[in-house]
Amino acid sequence: MANLWNDLISKLPNPHFLQTYEWGQVKAKYGWIPYYAVWTDDGKFHFSQTTDSLSLITGQCVAAALILKKQVLSQGFAARLSILYAPKGPLLDWKNENLRDRVLNDLQTVAKKQGAIFLKIDPDIVLGRGVPNNADDVPDNAGQAARSELMRRGWDYSSDQIQFQNTVLIDLSVPVDEMLARMKPKTRYNIRLAEKKGVGFRVGGVGDLSMLYKMYAETSVRDGFVIRDENYYMTVWQLFMQSTIHGQPSTLPLIAEVNNEPVAAIFLFMFAGRAYYVYGMSRNIHREKMPAYLLQWEAMKIAGANGCAAYDLWGAPDVFDESDSMWGVYRFKEGLGGEVVRTLGAYDFAPNKLWYKLYAEIMPRVLDVMRSRGKEKTKQGLG
């Protein structure tokens, strides 16, 4: 049923790989229950835990959302409480006020019926393009109107932003010569340098995944960010590498090598005409040969050849100056010739504001105390 759901959402505005069937299956292995919500032009709303009934829908789909559900605790009264999250959803034409009202009404009803402490959404609603307060800053009035509507309805800007609110998009619809011309001179130089210094390139396979995780772990230690355990990434990478577009894998590990030794890699995700740079990794050796620049250039060409019109570089700073932790990464992405796109970010609908406050402010403290007591019991031989 993966293709049925993916085909359905691929025809909607701003379809995203985090709304795909595969992403729901990834999260299902880690305690989440995927639900599939569909709105049709005959006024019906379909909400199901499976995709089996999608073939029975008679109306034309005008909106959809993969909604993930997770129980807060497994015992006691709190077992009735859950959190809901539609990553990069719901998908719809947000400028259509009647449809927007209908979708939000149904989502709020779902949150209440599911006993949700909150329902989080973070659709790709564009608030503006370009760096704020710069000459290229262009606000998006339709996005601003959608945000105002959410706030009017009592949705709260979330203190827990799961995805990046801002990103950098590269236009892949132009010839490759123009893509190169849009890059910063230093970026073009580094691509040529990598080629000159003998950096090779290949598309990886499943047999490379263990090696790529080790390289990712090495990157995390060097650059100071936290990653999950190996099984999680194996699940993500394998599930998406098994999915296809036009008979070809929709996710590819791209590996840079020096003397046939892997030195850097990225994962290229492709879905519904958009490519994504999600995971990047490199070793400490041969970094001066600029393999990361060659990888991004190869990714852009592969994505364009597979029908992608845009390449999402997955993340830009919240604050566009050197104080932001992503500033260095952003400078690298900016050099590739992309445009900053600023989106809505995550908003939460809380049917019960008291439970929402308890979860957001008090629950983390309680869990911290429970964890510290558990550690102490273990030290004393009591755990």
Side-chain angles (χ1 to χ4, degrees):
M1 289 298 175
N3 288 339
L4 192 59
W5 174 256
N6 290 350
D7 287 346
L8 181 148
I9 65 171
S10 68
K11 298 177 178 66
L12 295 172
N14 293 321
H16 199 283
F17 86 93
L18 292 184
Q19 279 285 295
T20 60
Y21 182 84
E22 287 79 10
W23 190 249
Q25 295 309 296
V26 168
K27 304 310 286 185
K29 295 180 181 294
Y30 291 89
W32 295 84
I33 303 171
Y35 285 84
Y36 304 89
V38 176
W39 291 261
T40 51
D41 61 357
D42 55 6
K44 294 180 180 178
F45 173 51
H46 308 262
F47 185 74
S48 174
Q49 196 175 327
T50 71
T51 56
D52 295 342
S53 61
L54 291 178
S55 59
L56 303 177
I57 294 176
T58 55
Q60 180 180 348
C61 174
V62 292
L66 167 69
I67 301 175
L68 305 172
K69 177 181 179 179
K70 191 168 192 177
Q71 300 301 132
V72 175
L73 294 173
S74 59
Q75 297 179 342
F77 176 75
R80 305 178 198 172
L81 300 173
S82 64
I83 56 176
L84 301 176
Y85 177 35
K88 290 298 181 179
L91 308 174
L92 67 142
D93 178 4
W94 284 86
K95 295 189 294 292
N96 185 329
E97 293 184 18
N98 291 333
L99 178 59
R100 185 176 69 201
D101 285 346
R102 181 181 155 201
V103 169
L104 291 175
N105 284 339
D106 287 332
L107 288 178
Q108 291 172 197
T109 299
V110 164
K112 294 171 183 175
K113 288 184 176 180
Q114 292 291 320
I117 297 174
F118 63 87
L119 164 61
K120 183 187 301 292
I121 64 173
D122 50 16
D124 267 346
I125 298 175
V126 176
L127 299 182
R129 295 177 181 273
V131 176
N133 304 315
N134 277 28
D136 61 348
D137 181 3
V138 180
D140 189 299
N141 292 332
Q144 303 288 347
R147 179 171 65 176
S148 296
E149 175 63 14
L150 285 169
M151 295 171 65
R152 185 190 69 79
R153 284 172 163 267
W155 291 70
D156 297 310
Y157 181 75
S158 178
S159 60
D160 187 15
Q161 295 289 314
I162 308 298
Q163 312 303 334
F164 293 112
Q165 187 168 343
N166 302 323
T167 192
V168 176
L169 282 184
I170 295 177
D171 180 7
L172 301 180
S173 66
V174 300
V176 291
D177 289 346
E178 188 171 337
M179 280 192 270
L180 271 172
R182 290 179 177 179
M183 294 180 184
K184 300 279 188 181
K186 183 65 173 177
T187 299
R188 289 196 299 271
Y189 172 83
N190 285 338
I191 292 171
R192 290 193 295 267
L193 177 67
E195 295 170 334
K196 181 179 178 181
K197 293 292 185 180
V199 178
F201 159 78
R202 68 178 175 90
V203 176
V206 173
D208 294 300
L209 296 185
S210 181
M211 174 272 293
L212 292 174
Y213 177 77
K214 291 183 177 67
M215 192 188 299
Y216 197 37
E218 181 179 340
T219 307
S220 74
V221 172
R222 183 187 67 233
D223 294 347
F225 61 89
V226 178
I227 64 172
R228 297 174 184 252
D229 63 88
E230 184 174 358
N231 287 336
Y232 177 83
Y233 295 103
M234 290 297 177
T235 300
V236 175
W237 296 339
Q238 289 179 9
L239 269 172
F240 276 93
M241 288 171 68
Q242 290 167 7
S243 69
T244 60
I245 50 173
H246 309 305
Q248 299 297 319
S250 65
T251 298
L252 300 170
L254 309 182
I255 303 171
E257 297 180 327
V258 175
N259 298 324
N260 297 318
E261 182 180 10
V263 295
I266 64 174
F267 276 83
L268 176 68
F269 285 65
M270 294 176 284
F271 178 69
R274 180 174 287 193
Y276 303 85
Y277 159 48
V278 185
Y279 304 104
M281 55 213 70
S282 63
R283 300 182 62 194
N284 289 328
I285 59 173
H286 299 298
R287 296 182 73 194
E288 77 284 356
K289 293 181 172 67
M290 304 298 168
Y293 289 86
L294 180 66
L295 282 174
Q296 292 297 343
W297 177 226
E298 296 294 344
M300 291 164 64
K301 292 186 289 185
I302 290 172
N306 279 275
C308 294
Y311 183 29
D312 188 337
L313 294 178
W314 203 250
D318 294 324
V319 180
F320 286 86
D321 62 40
E322 295 181 7
S323 66
D324 194 287
S325 61
M326 286 194 66
W327 185 250
V329 176
Y330 164 66
R331 297 291 288 177
F332 166 73
K333 295 177 180 179
E334 180 191 34
L336 292 166
E339 176 187 41
V340 170
V341 177
R342 311 189 307 274
T343 62
L344 178 77
Y347 274 73
D348 297 340
F349 173 74
N352 185 308
K353 295 294 186 183
L354 177 59
W355 277 114
Y356 185 60
K357 183 179 178 65
L358 288 171
Y359 181 87
E361 298 181 9
I362 298 177
M363 183 73 75
R365 300 175 197 169
V366 173
L367 292 175
D368 285 343
V369 171
M370 292 172 65
R371 291 189 190 103
S372 64
R373 288 179 177 174
K375 291 177 182 177
E376 188 61 32
K377 285 184 180 179
T378 301
K379 291 176 183 177
Q380 296 173 359
L382 303 175

